[in-house]
Amino acid sequence: MEIGLSLGLQSDEGGLKLSLSECGCHVKDISIKLEGGASWFYQGMVNAFKDQIGASVESTISNKLSEGVSDLDSFLQSLPKEIPVDDKAALNVTFTSDPILRDSSITFEIDGLFTRTGTNQVLRSSFRNSAPSAICPGNSKMLGISLDEAVFNSAAALYYNAEFMQWIVDKVPDQALLNTARWRFIIPQLYRKYPNQDMNLNISLSSPPLVKISEQYVGANVNANLVINVLEADKVIPVACISLEIRGSGALRVMGNNLGGSVKLEDFSMSLEWSNIGNLHLHLLQPIVWTVIQTVFVPYANDHLEKGFPLPIIHGFTLENAEIICSASEITVCSDVAYLDSSQQPPSHLSLPSSTPWITTLL
């Protein structure tokens, strides 16, 4: 018996559509042997209708194949077009082009950018002209996921626009730091005007963080404003604003089906935006600002980065022995894949904190 079918797989309004172009089944020969007391009688009837039985088998198999393709198409059409990250963001996983078939792999390009939850935003490809023939060296892994740096920058822009990147610092490991008495030798005029007054620091980003990826380095530049506030009775009095340019380096890792990481401070520079207490000697302020960044800003960022965000993996599968490879403007996660039975599967709902930034290749 020979069975043949020809399928078409293409993107359709951000999803995948599977179609059956041709389907056929040919029974070259069929042998039916009956046993029993009256088998000699019925064997003749079976032999007489052998061709009709073969034709029925061909028709049944062809119909079942057609039904199977239709069921698979329905499954592909039901794949989600976004993965919730938290109450503010979702990951856009719409397909941006037709799948690319090769001898031993199939490549899907998906949008991959972060969008506001519930917007159903579909973005079009503008970052890559063509998918690479192989994104994992030597096709050594079952799955490769390539992420353009635009993925990370879209997340940074979304949370920045949602006014999520602003912090009031009123508690630090060395709490005496938030009293004007500690600043009397650094900014004498502050202490003279507001002696022994409590303070807080208002840190807000002035633009979205910018992530850069190269073969040797994953880094981020952050521009922020630090406003020094004095707390007097029930009033908050802004006294000065310092502009910060912070440069950090990052480390990435795969945790389950999430991509997370951490960041550390490399260096920073600062300039005075405005002051209500006269000129400030910024070089004297540098150790305090360094301490604030190291003890408040960096731990806060790492607390969220450690949770990571979901990679586009079909529910029920998990990554195994994943490796991360950095190249110009993108990173690639190369991994084997394992199927989890129902007792091992985590809940399908995710709750965590272009475009062809995502390239997914099944090898």
Side-chain angles (χ1 to χ4, degrees), residues 10 14 67 74 76 80 88 90 92 105 119 124 141 171 197 200 216 228 249-250 265 287 334 349 359:
Q10 59 188 23
E67 292 175 8
S74 297
L76 294 175
K88 295 181 177 62
N92 186 337
S105 68
T119 58
R124 297 301 175 190
K141 298 290 186 178
K171 294 186 184 300
Q197 293 292 321
N200 70 30
Q216 297 83 21
I228 302 172
S249 60
L265 176 64
C334 296
H349 176 69
I359 308 292

Side-chain angles (χ1 to χ4, degrees), residues 270-341:
M270 55 186 185
S271 59
L272 183 63
E273 285 288 305
W274 54 263
S275 171
N276 295 330
I277 52 175
N279 192 32
L280 305 183
H281 298 288
L282 294 182
H283 66 282
L284 297 177
L285 277 173
Q286 188 166 5
I288 292 180
V289 176
W290 179 280
T291 299
V292 170
I293 295 173
Q294 283 282 48
T295 60
V296 177
F297 184 80
V298 171
Y300 180 88
N302 285 334
D303 182 56
H304 289 272
L305 291 173
E306 285 175 1
K307 299 175 184 177
F309 62 87
L311 293 168
I313 305 297
I314 295 175
H315 182 62
F317 291 85
T318 185
L319 301 178
E320 284 191 344
N321 304 317
E323 301 174 357
I324 296 177
I325 301 171
C326 294
S327 58
S329 79
E330 67 183 24
I331 69 162
T332 300
V333 177
C334 296
S335 178
D336 292 326
V337 179
Y339 176 73
L340 301 177
D341 60 38

Side-chain angles (χ1 to χ4, degrees), residues 42-278:
Y42 294 106
Q43 187 69 55
M45 297 179 61
V46 168
N47 292 339
F49 291 98
K50 183 171 68 171
D51 291 343
Q52 289 89 334
I53 295 173
S56 178
V57 170
E58 291 175 348
S59 176
T60 300
I61 290 178
S62 296
N63 290 337
K64 290 296 183 182
L65 287 173
S66 180
E67 292 175 8
V69 171
S70 178
D71 291 343
L72 182 55
D73 177 56
S74 297
F75 169 75
L76 294 175
Q77 294 284 345
S78 70
L79 291 176
K81 294 187 178 180
E82 66 176 26
I83 301 175
V85 176
D86 56 23
D87 59 348
K88 295 181 177 62
L91 197 62
N92 186 337
V93 289
T94 54
F95 293 88
T96 60
S97 64
D98 292 341
I100 301 173
L101 301 175
R102 297 187 175 89
D103 291 342
S104 60
S105 68
I106 179 170
T107 298
F108 302 94
E109 297 188 10
I110 65 176
D111 182 281
L113 296 185
F114 284 72
T115 61
R116 292 295 297 269
T117 299
T119 58
N120 296 319
Q121 181 183 8
V122 178
L123 302 176
R124 297 301 175 190
S125 174
S126 62
F127 287 92
R128 186 193 302 275
N129 294 323
S130 61
S133 59
I135 61 176
C136 292
N139 292 340
S140 57
K141 298 290 186 178
M142 298 167 63
L143 174 70
I145 304 174
S146 178
L147 299 85
D148 192 276
E149 60 189 22
V151 172
F152 306 97
N153 287 324
S154 71
L158 186 147
Y159 286 107
Y160 172 79
N161 292 331
E163 299 181 349
F164 190 68
M165 296 184 175
Q166 181 173 354
W167 307 271
I168 300 294
V169 180
D170 54 9
K171 294 186 184 300
V172 293
D174 182 5
Q175 194 62 27
L177 186 66
L178 294 179
N179 188 283
T180 57
R182 183 68 173 270
W183 299 57
R184 63 187 183 276
F185 300 118
I186 301 172
I187 311 177
Q189 63 270 34
L190 173 64
Y191 181 70
R192 286 196 299 268
K193 190 171 183 180
Y194 304 101
N196 295 312
Q197 293 292 321
D198 289 332
M199 306 162 54
N200 70 30
L201 305 175
N202 185 341
I203 301 176
S204 61
L205 270 59
S206 55
S207 62
L210 180 62
V211 177
K212 299 295 291 183
I213 300 173
S214 66
E215 292 183 11
Q216 297 83 21
Y217 181 79
V218 177
N221 290 346
V222 179
N223 294 314
N225 289 326
L226 187 155
V227 177
I228 302 172
N229 294 321
V230 173
L231 308 180
E232 189 175 66
D234 58 348
K235 294 187 297 183
V236 177
I237 305 172
V239 295
C241 177
I242 299 170
S243 176
L244 304 174
E245 183 177 347
I246 304 168
R247 290 169 289 277
S249 60
L252 299 170
R253 59 182 177 274
V254 176
M255 303 163 294
N257 288 347
N258 285 2
L259 179 67
S262 60
V263 66
K264 68 176 183 178
L265 176 64
E266 294 294 337
D267 58 28
F268 73 96
S269 58
M270 55 186 185
S271 59
L272 183 63
E273 285 288 305
W274 54 263
S275 171
N276 295 330
I277 52 175

